[in-house]
Amino acid sequence: MRAREISTLALDSYQRAARVALSNHLVTTTYPDRIALPLLRRWATELREDLLELFGYRLEVTETTARLYPVIDRLDDSQPARTSTDRIFDRRRYAYLALALAALGRAGNQITLSELADHVAAEASQVDGVELTTDRASDRDAFVDAIGWLATRGAIALADGDATGWANNPSAGEALYDIDRPVVVAMFRPPRAVQHLRSIRGLLAGSDSPIDPEDSDPGQTDSGREADPKETLRAVRRALVEQPVVYHDDLDRNGRAALAASRTVADVELLTGLIAERRAEGVALIDTSGRLSDYRFPSTGTIAQVALLIAGEISDRVIDPDAPALATHPLPDGDALIEQLDGAIPDGGIFGDLAEFGFGSDATALEDADEKKLYPLIEDSWLTTVVDDLVERFGRTFAAQWQTDRDGLRVRAIALLHRLRLIHSVSGGVLVLPVIARYRDVMVSVRDRTPQDSLFGTERTTGTAEAPRTAQSVSNESSEVEA
């Protein structure tokens, strides 16, 4: 591992470069900032070797881009694409994004927004359920959101005009973009040609060898195949940097043994500069730098504060000896999401002669589905009551938009807890995961203060929810928990 050869004085710089690569799979001259690419270029050789050795990731660095090609072990719906206003992409925006990227790959050095929209509209008309009508304001807004996502990452750069003006009135507004072809080329390079896939499983780890149902042995299962120790270690390390918490119950027998080995976690700590926190339920990495996580928790803002309060209430409910016993259920296995995505694959786009027959199951799946751990279920009705009570008690400290939108507040707060793997949202409620116990006994402090030089002498009230002082940080690429 090259990180062991780096001097103590330079190690911090190297670890910052590793965190940049892991948290931003695409780095350009302007994204995520102007210092990220020079930092990666400085350590390109060492990073390329360490990322491949530890995680199986491939890193390509050029003068204008750095692209990390990760290995995907399972589907993750906790990191959706978002607009500039933090709105989650819907199916229409994802479709426009994919079609726009394809159109940019065939375009010249510049393109107008209306011309790009015409290309996308023409391609969309050939896909069932997708259309772009520039006469419809909602379509224009969704299209501009997709274009903005590409512009933020440097695939295109505004040369003249205004996209918002076009969205408001396409007959009067226009925008001209320069196309950065290296970024466009680096942005979408899946491990397999999507036209050769009949299932989304083909993009996951362990799908390199297709399984022909006519040749397969019915008596042999994936769990019966001998696991590659090196690949098992890589899969566990990937989980450590990609998930807020790696639970022992997420892994099979070989994975649990790998996670228990001190060397497995120590290598990731050395590369990233993070600190491991081991608990009975699993392992989490602490991001004291705040550079690998895209969300801090506990944090400021109404959503984060309410999420922390809900976490405390859920923890108390689970251990309440006087309350009725909670029903328990296993975590969903992810097959439902795979089936939904597979059902959306257009048959007309698949090259039948080149399509694979099928793929093996997730390598980290438990060996016996009957042995899956059960988790307490908190129903939506109970969560609704809790949020109503929190609004009654602390609503005056909340942002104005959430004081009257209790349902929206509850949905956003629960989504945050799900993203942090403190709970798992299911139909009708949430399953409570072990790490949420760290937020028992949440302390609430409401401070009333009179601003200095107040014209009318009125008081302003601010509220803060604090985690127990013993709580530590839980961090990964997608989230951070901090007290």
Side-chain angles (χ1 to χ4, degrees), residues 337-351:
L337 179 57
I338 290 177
E339 290 176 1
Q340 286 181 328
L341 293 173
D342 288 350
I345 297 177
D347 293 335
I350 297 177
F351 294 140

Side-chain angles (χ1 to χ4, degrees), residues 154-376:
I156 54 177
L158 185 65
D160 193 14
D162 178 25
T164 303
W166 179 87
N168 293 333
N169 186 353
S171 61
E174 184 59 280
L176 176 65
Y177 288 96
D178 293 324
I179 301 174
D180 192 323
R181 191 154 304 283
V183 176
V184 171
V185 171
M187 188 166 283
F188 181 69
R189 288 171 61 182
R192 286 174 176 268
V194 294
Q195 293 92 339
H196 300 172
L197 299 178
R198 295 189 185 276
S199 172
I200 197 69
R201 291 183 187 273
L203 299 178
L204 303 180
S207 64
D208 295 334
S209 299
I211 302 172
D212 189 332
E214 296 181 359
D215 297 333
S216 61
D217 181 0
Q220 185 173 10
T221 63
D222 289 330
S223 60
R225 296 189 179 95
E226 189 68 24
D228 183 346
K230 185 175 182 179
E231 289 306 315
T232 298
L233 284 172
R234 284 177 169 176
V236 172
R237 295 191 195 106
R238 289 195 293 264
L240 285 169
V241 297
E242 292 171 358
Q243 301 176 26
V245 185
V246 180
Y247 292 107
H248 292 301
D249 294 318
D250 293 338
L251 308 173
D252 60 13
R253 182 180 63 253
N254 295 324
R256 288 192 290 268
L259 184 62
S262 58
R263 179 68 176 272
T264 304
V265 180
D267 287 343
V268 179
E269 289 180 295
L270 179 60
L271 176 68
T272 62
L274 306 186
I275 302 172
E277 176 186 306
R278 289 185 177 272
R279 290 177 174 254
E281 301 85 6
V283 178
L285 292 182
I286 313 304
D287 182 9
T288 56
S289 71
R291 296 293 183 88
L292 188 58
S293 305
D294 62 2
Y295 203 95
R296 304 182 70 89
F297 183 80
S299 183
T300 58
T302 299
I303 299 299
Q305 294 284 295
V306 171
L308 179 58
L309 292 170
I310 293 175
E313 295 286 346
I314 291 177
S315 299
D316 292 340
R317 173 63 183 88
V318 170
I319 64 172
D320 187 352
D322 299 324
L326 296 171
T328 57
H329 299 274
L331 290 175
D333 56 14
D335 286 343
L337 179 57
I338 290 177
E339 290 176 1
Q340 286 181 328
L341 293 173
D342 288 350
I345 297 177
D347 293 335
I350 297 177
F351 294 140
D353 293 340
L354 299 176
E356 308 291 4
F357 287 96
F359 301 93
S361 60
D362 190 344
T364 62
L366 293 179
E367 297 168 5
D368 188 350
D370 295 334
E371 298 179 1
K372 285 188 175 181
K373 183 176 178 61
L374 301 178
Y375 299 91

Side-chain angles (χ1 to χ4, degrees), residues 90-160:
D90 53 17
R91 295 182 65 182
R92 175 168 52 177
R93 285 169 171 79
Y94 278 121
Y96 292 166
L97 176 60
L99 295 175
L101 190 59
L104 291 173
R106 300 189 296 267
N109 296 325
Q110 287 187 322
I111 193 170
T112 64
L113 188 58
S114 59
E115 182 182 1
L116 182 56
D118 290 340
H119 285 300
V120 171
E123 296 293 336
S125 64
Q126 302 181 40
V127 182
D128 293 339
V130 180
E131 64 175 351
L132 170 58
T133 304
T134 55
D135 293 336
R136 191 158 48 212
S138 60
D139 283 9
R140 296 197 303 271
D141 290 339
F143 178 69
V144 169
D145 284 340
I147 298 306
W149 191 93
L150 293 170
T152 298
R153 285 150 184 79
I156 54 177
L158 185 65
D160 193 14

